[in-house]
Amino acid sequence: MAALSLGEYRLDGRVWIQAVAPGAGSPTPVFGIQLDEETLLFRRDDDGLALRVRDTDGDEVPVEDLEFETSDQRFWALRPDPDSGSIHFETSSNAQQWFDVGEVEPETDPAEACIHFEISIGTGIVSPTVIVFDNLNRLPGGAALF
């Protein structure tokens, strides 16, 4: 089950979200951005925190797999690097001090395209579903995201 933002937004700064610890009905929370034909995403599952790039066919390329530390990685961020054209995956315990945990060079220059946000949970959920995210932050001035 996935939701994409209604509008398109410029990725001209860090965008971040608080990922609440998984609970009943939400085993694999995912947060990402769709940039042209690729989706860059964080996925929290039983194996830890996975950083992936997904294409339009649903195929995923791993960027990094991390052991998940609930207190240290409560916040997930994606940040463009205007000098290199890459996008950094970052985590934080407090949304103030960020740690780089992965980097990818997307096919599309983030300075030249808009993004959609994706929030989703794993498939096969039978019971009522709870989306376990809070505090989606982006630059001010936009309309409702979802």
Side-chain angles (χ1 to χ4, degrees):
M1 179 175 169
L4 283 177
S5 60
L6 294 173
E8 294 182 323
Y9 304 91
R10 285 278 179 202
L11 185 66
D12 49 7
R14 177 183 290 122
V15 59
W16 56 272
I17 197 166
Q18 181 176 354
V20 181
S26 54
T28 55
V30 177
F31 168 62
I33 58 170
Q34 186 181 79
L35 178 66
D36 234 5
E37 301 297 316
E38 297 176 307
T39 301
L40 284 59
L41 56 89
F42 287 88
R43 178 183 296 119
R44 166 71 175 99
D45 58 25
D46 292 337
D47 296 326
L49 183 60
L51 315 179
R52 299 285 185 262
V53 177
R54 182 191 320 133
D55 65 20
T56 53
D57 294 328
D59 298 326
E60 293 184 1
V61 176
V63 175
E64 190 73 48
D65 289 307
L66 307 168
E67 185 174 331
F68 185 71
E69 298 292 338
T70 303
S71 60
D72 292 340
Q73 298 173 333
R74 289 183 349 174
F75 298 91
W76 303 343
L78 293 155
R79 178 183 55 83
D81 183 334
D83 296 327
S84 70
S86 65
I87 295 179
H88 294 262
F89 293 83
E90 299 175 322
T91 62
S92 175
S93 63
N94 57 14
Q96 300 294 316
Q97 185 177 16
W98 294 93
F99 297 94
D100 202 310
V101 293
E103 180 181 2
V104 65
E105 291 187 24
E107 293 180 8
T108 302
D109 185 342
E112 297 179 3
C114 289
I115 64 166
H116 287 275
F117 295 102
E118 176 181 322
I119 295 177
S120 62
I121 61 168
T123 58
I125 305 303
V126 177
S127 60
T129 300
V130 178
I131 300 288
V132 288
F133 293 104
D134 194 7
N135 298 330
L136 176 59
N137 290 270
R138 57 172 203 80
L139 295 176
L145 292 174
F146 294 92

